[in-house]
Amino acid sequence: MSEWIFAVCCGVPLAIIALHITVRLARHFSKFPIPQALTQLIDHPLRRKFIQPPDKTAIRHGIRPGMCVLEVGPGTGTYTLAAARRVGPEGKVVAIDIEPKIIERLNRRIRAEGVVNLEARVADVYDLPFDDGIFDLIFMITVIGEIPDVPRALAEFHRVLKPDGRLVFSELFPDPDYPLANALTRRVESEGFRLKEKIGNFFYYTLIFKKT
Ligand SMILES: C[S@@+](CC[C@H](N)C(=O)[O-])C[C@H]1O[C@@H](n2cnc3c(N)ncnc32)[C@H](O)[C@@H]1O
């Protein structure tokens, strides 16, 4: 038994470190979206129970009933569906992802669960298919580290957000694309946003920005 505990205590951190090194090396040469199959690994029950419970995460993000919300990079859609529950029948959630398979899978889930205030479509953050100033809030969870040209994406977020809109990032340390909160704050603040609130700690955090 003690060998098992020792193996888990050493093996898990070592596996995370090895994953970080491998992905960061690969990212040095090219940035690419996470393969669709891996998004299911990220959507782990332990994460949903202890670290980022979906409904609590929607509240932590500042999503309120009636809002019009954009999620970038929904993965399996667990947090997208929680956002749709939170905005309620008067609100709307739109999810976009660059990977068609992610959107196909999410659309199947939306139909199966009979959700009517949620729409998922294929789109790139560099060219959002929306009018100016229509969203109350944009959120993304473990996504920004996969975007090669962050200023270009931030310009699009700025454009489609309402003047008093919020831009929200949540990050999780085991994600190999995890950015440090201070570094992400500096980047976002240099593109027309100001940090309004920081929640969490080194291992998982949420940053909420407003437009300046
Ligand atoms: C690590 S997954 C995050 C999944 C989900 N948010 C979660 O936390 O479980 C990152 C997602 O961002 C998407 N993505 C990466 N680059 C993108 C881009 N340029 N435009 C839109 N989506 C992008 C990927 O396809 C992937 O679905």
Side-chain angles (χ1 to χ4, degrees):
M1 183 66 182
S2 59
E3 287 92 359
W4 271 104
I5 294 172
F6 180 76
V8 169
C9 290
C10 294
V12 171
L14 282 176
I16 291 174
I17 291 167
L19 185 67
H20 272 249
I21 293 171
T22 312
V23 174
R24 279 168 198 274
L25 273 174
R27 290 273 194 247
H28 185 71
F29 298 102
S30 152
K31 290 222 175 191
F32 47 86
I34 183 176
Q36 188 249 147
L38 288 185
T39 59
Q40 268 158 324
L41 280 184
I42 294 174
D43 191 17
H44 195 275
L46 287 176
R47 172 192 182 193
R48 276 183 264 129
K49 188 155 175 59
F50 297 110
I51 306 170
Q52 290 175 325
D55 290 313
K56 279 193 187 156
T57 301
I59 294 169
R60 192 188 293 165
H61 284 173
I63 298 173
R64 292 195 305 275
M67 276 186 164
C68 183
V69 171
L70 172 67
E71 182 186 8
V72 176
T76 60
T78 298
Y79 295 91
T80 327
L81 289 160
R85 283 193 291 277
R86 179 77 184 144
V87 299
E90 305 297 317
K92 179 163 189 187
V93 175
V94 183
I96 62 121
D97 202 291
I98 200 167
E99 287 290 326
K101 281 190 177 154
I102 296 232
I103 294 301
E104 274 167 35
R105 189 178 58 192
L106 180 53
N107 273 325
R108 279 199 298 276
R109 199 168 169 187
I110 292 169
R111 282 195 295 274
E113 299 193 21
V115 185
V116 292
N117 61 347
L118 168 56
E119 180 194 332
R121 52 206 276 193
V122 178
D124 191 335
V125 282
Y126 300 146
D127 187 18
L128 295 174
F130 308 112
D131 291 338
D132 298 357
I134 62 163
F135 291 106
D136 296 294
L137 189 144
I138 301 176
F139 77 97
M140 65 209 76
I141 310 175
T142 66
V143 171
I144 197 69
E146 291 184 22
I147 309 285
D149 190 344
V150 173
R152 198 170 154 203
L154 290 171
E156 273 297 85
F157 300 151
H158 202 279
R159 181 182 69 76
V160 300
L161 269 177
K162 290 179 181 173
D164 59 348
R166 299 286 186 264
L167 176 62
V168 182
F169 300 90
S170 278
E171 292 295 333
L172 199 61
F173 178 67
D175 176 17
D177 292 309
Y178 166 93
L180 289 170
N182 286 347
L184 181 56
T185 301
R186 277 197 301 276
R187 289 194 95 171
V188 178
E189 286 196 330
S190 64
E191 302 296 332
F193 295 92
R194 181 167 323 121
L195 183 66
K196 184 176 170 281
E197 195 178 354
K198 179 180 174 186
I199 305 161
N201 52 45
F202 174 82
F203 294 99
Y204 61 94
Y205 65 78
T206 293
L207 302 176
I208 302 176
F209 295 87
K210 60 181 186 177
K211 281 166 94 164
T212 51

